[in-house]
Amino acid sequence: MFTASDNTTVLVLFVALGILGWGYYRAKPYGKLGLLSWLQSVALMSPWLLFFTLAAMGIYLNLASILFLFVASTGLYIMIGRKLREVANQDAVSPPEPLDKSSSQPETPHQAPSVPVTPVSAPVSPLQPVPLSPEDLKTIQGIFGIDTFFAIETIPYEDGVIFKGNLRSDPDTAYQQLSTKLQQRVGDRLRLFLVENPDEKPVVIVLPRTNEPTTTSIAQRVLAIILFIVTIGTTFEAVGLLLGFDFFENLNRYPDILPIAIGLLTILIVHEIAHQVIAKRYQVKFSWPFFIPTIQIGTFGAFNRFESVLPNRTVLFDVAFAGPAAGGLLSLLMLMSGLFLSHPGSLFKVPTEFFQGSVLVGLLSRAILGAQLQQTSVDISPLALIGWFGLVITALNLMPAGQLDGGRIMQAIYGRKIAGRSTLATFIVLAIASLANPLALYWALVILILQRNLERPSLNELTEPNDRRAALGLLVLFLMLAILFPLTPGLAKGLGIGT
């Protein structure tokens, strides 16, 4: 029989099973491809399902068993992904509809048509004037073919044009061929996008290169510098309050604060440098960081924006993933090092209930500190607190919403529609959580005001990141939950955390 303290565990279990059931219902109509995609989700969720099922039954796994389950499920996810791609590649591309013989022209075997072959009932011609000149429009129409994108309709769009039709090859191959042909014929004046329309059908959009993201102005750079300076101040104040005094009223005590403050700021800087390094590797412009200061933990991290169009979703994933990966790994190393260095007489004495505030931190602390967590309080090294705060900041930025790192990762893996839904769901969860924790309300307002919008589409929006990236993305999202999700009293008692 479940006790009241395990209600959260049971609720998580039922929600997960409900998500799997809904996923199976959505995947079944798509046959083998749909079921393989669903099995990938099962593979990644299975460790958590097993963990919470056993926890609800009073059986608790140790850290080594949990890590083994993660590794095994990730390997299974990749194997299923390879099988999924093999099945998808075996599906032959359906041939184009037959043309009216009276309107078709014979072609030589070695010469591709200069304009797309189209049905008589749906000619590629504008139904109304478009901003592009007729010569440009005719040139653009000439890049299509039955082996890349079979265009059937032209629609004016902003300063450019949309081509509806059927994709006839792999999205990455089609995009490379179409964009190369366009550049050869018109130079760099126009830019080609391969995206999905609201009906989830592939379309080609051609726009002038004047339609580019704006770069950071001098005033915005000044604002970024001011926010960083304020963040330094709030970090010093947060550390001072942690040590039991107000820094702004005791400025002469800055030597006491400096080591911890430098540790936190180092995590932030490493996070932002990783973003910039990967962006530069892909020759993508990434703005300066705009830090979000707060008294509670010094800062909630920073937000950035892309100042150039991204070539594909893989680049979006790599740039977004780099920051949390670097900052999170450094934070984790600091946390574990601090726990190993902790001993009676360490600087901070914290109640053992403190370790119940995070599933991940609780498990690591139990594995390293052992029976010490069954006392009423534990002495820990400042390095452990620095690492913990760094993990919290990383986890907040990994929430799957808007232009946060987690929102960008979600968009890169699942596309814009799912990312939009996850943004709404994240905001609703934070709004509900704010009834118990004002910090959640603060973060919900940050998302609502600053980060609610998704990234603009990349040039090739159809090609998804590979399985390895998808697995890494889901892993960091699970780690985000493990960092922010607290242990239930029953689970903490079963693990031996607390008296």
Side-chain angles (χ1 to χ4, degrees):
M1 180 180 296
F2 299 123
T3 63
S5 63
D6 291 320
N7 285 342
T8 303
T9 301
V10 177
L11 176 62
V12 170
L13 177 62
F14 277 106
V15 169
L17 290 174
I19 292 173
L20 286 178
W22 176 79
Y24 177 80
Y25 172 77
R26 292 291 304 274
K28 190 175 180 180
Y30 295 94
K32 191 174 183 179
L33 288 174
L35 292 178
L36 284 173
S37 299
W38 176 75
L39 284 174
Q40 281 191 302
S41 301
V42 175
L44 283 174
M45 293 184 67
S46 55
W48 292 100
L49 285 173
L50 181 60
F51 176 81
F52 283 109
T53 300
L54 294 177
M57 297 170 60
I59 303 172
Y60 303 99
L61 299 176
N62 57 29
L63 181 61
S65 299
I66 295 173
L67 291 177
F68 173 77
L69 288 175
F70 267 121
V71 173
S73 64
T74 302
L76 183 60
Y77 175 92
I78 295 174
M79 290 175 58
I80 297 174
R82 290 175 180 173
K83 181 64 177 177
L84 181 63
R85 292 180 187 276
E86 290 177 5
V87 174
N89 291 334
Q90 290 172 0
D91 293 341
V93 178
S94 57
E97 299 178 4
L99 303 178
D100 187 340
K101 294 182 179 180
S102 62
S103 62
S104 62
Q105 297 293 332
E107 298 176 15
T108 60
H110 303 289
Q111 183 176 1
S114 59
V115 294
V117 181
T118 57
V120 172
S121 58
V124 179
S125 59
L127 301 180
Q128 53 182 304
V130 297
L132 296 175
S133 67
E135 292 77 13
D136 282 338
L137 185 60
K138 184 177 180 180
T139 300
I140 296 170
Q141 290 172 348
I143 70 174
F144 300 108
I146 59 174
D147 59 338
T148 53
F149 186 83
F150 188 63
I152 60 176
E153 185 180 359
T154 304
I155 301 173
Y157 176 72
E158 294 184 357
D159 295 332
V161 63
I162 295 176
F163 292 94
K164 288 186 175 182
N166 301 313
L167 189 63
R168 293 298 179 182
S169 67
D170 174 76
D172 192 50
T173 301
Y175 174 79
Q176 292 298 332
Q177 292 179 357
L178 292 174
S179 60
T180 299
K181 289 181 181 179
L182 182 65
Q183 186 175 26
Q184 289 173 348
R185 301 188 183 198
V186 302
D188 293 331
R189 292 190 298 111
L190 302 176
R191 192 189 290 279
L192 185 143
F193 293 81
L194 182 59
V195 300
E196 284 186 345
N197 66 7
D199 298 328
E200 300 184 358
K201 301 293 184 181
V203 297
V204 171
I205 303 177
V206 178
L207 294 171
R209 280 186 177 263
T210 54
N211 193 338
E212 297 286 318
T214 58
T215 58
T216 305
S217 64
I218 295 178
Q220 290 172 331
R221 294 188 179 188
V222 171
L223 175 61
I225 295 172
I226 293 174
L227 287 175
F228 180 65
I229 295 173
V230 173
T231 296
I232 294 175
T234 54
T235 300
F236 273 66
E237 177 68 4
V239 175
L241 294 176
L242 189 65
L243 293 172
F245 65 91
D246 188 328
F247 168 69
F248 293 115
E249 294 181 359
N250 299 270
L251 296 178
N252 60 326
R253 296 190 61 179
Y254 75 89
D256 299 334
I257 292 174
L258 201 57
I260 301 177
I262 290 177
L264 287 173
L265 292 173
T266 299
I267 293 173
L268 295 176
I269 293 172
V270 166
H271 181 120
E272 296 305 323
I273 289 176
H275 279 315
Q276 298 290 345
V277 168
I278 300 301
K280 187 175 182 179
R281 177 181 299 176
Y282 284 112
Q283 298 181 344
V284 169
K285 296 179 181 178
F286 203 53
S287 74
W288 286 14
F290 294 85
F291 287 94
I292 306 173
T294 176
I295 296 296
Q296 288 88 344
I297 56 176
T299 178
F300 283 147
F303 63 93
N304 316 69
R305 61 187 184 85
F306 288 99
E307 297 181 343
S308 58
V309 179
L310 300 180
N312 51 54
R313 285 159 58 181
T314 296
V315 175
L316 174 62
F317 175 88
D318 286 356
V319 175
F321 178 80
L329 182 59
L330 177 60
S331 300
L332 186 61
L333 291 175
M334 286 184 172
L335 171 66
M336 296 181 67
S337 300
L339 291 174
F340 277 114
L341 293 174
S342 297
H343 58 83
S346 292
L347 180 60
F348 290 103
K349 180 182 289 290
V350 297
T352 52
E353 289 77 8
F354 187 68
F355 298 93
Q356 299 178 12
S358 167
V359 171
L360 179 64
V361 175
L363 290 173
L364 289 175
S365 301
R366 182 67 178 88
I368 296 174
L369 298 178
Q372 295 183 54
L373 293 185
Q374 296 178 357
Q375 304 172 5
T376 57
S377 61
V378 180
D379 294 343
I380 62 172
S381 166
L383 196 59
L385 283 181
I386 295 173
W388 192 340
F389 286 168
L391 286 177
V392 170
I393 294 171
T394 300
L396 289 173
N397 283 274
L398 279 173
M399 287 192 296
Q403 295 179 23
L404 296 175
D405 292 330
R408 286 167 171 160
I409 290 173
M410 183 69 68
Q411 181 178 336
I413 298 175
Y414 294 110
R416 297 178 64 81
K417 180 177 290 187
I418 299 299
R421 292 173 180 174
S422 70
T423 298
L424 178 61
T426 301
F427 180 76
I428 292 174
V429 169
L430 287 173
I432 296 173
S434 66
L435 298 176
N437 187 349
L439 190 64
L441 176 61
Y442 187 97
W443 196 244
L445 292 175
V446 169
I447 293 175
L448 180 64
I449 298 173
L450 300 176
Q451 301 282 49
R452 64 185 183 277
N453 295 324
L454 300 175
E455 289 296 340
R456 62 184 295 170
S458 55
L459 295 175
N460 177 9
E461 189 75 4
L462 299 187
T463 301
E464 301 175 356
N466 58 29
D467 292 335
R468 180 176 60 84
R469 288 182 171 86
L472 287 173
L474 289 175
L475 177 61
V476 297
L477 292 175
F478 272 125
L479 290 176
M480 178 269 297
L481 293 174
I483 293 168
L484 298 179
F485 193 84
L487 289 165
T488 62
L491 186 56
K493 183 178 180 180
L495 293 172
I497 300 177
T499 56

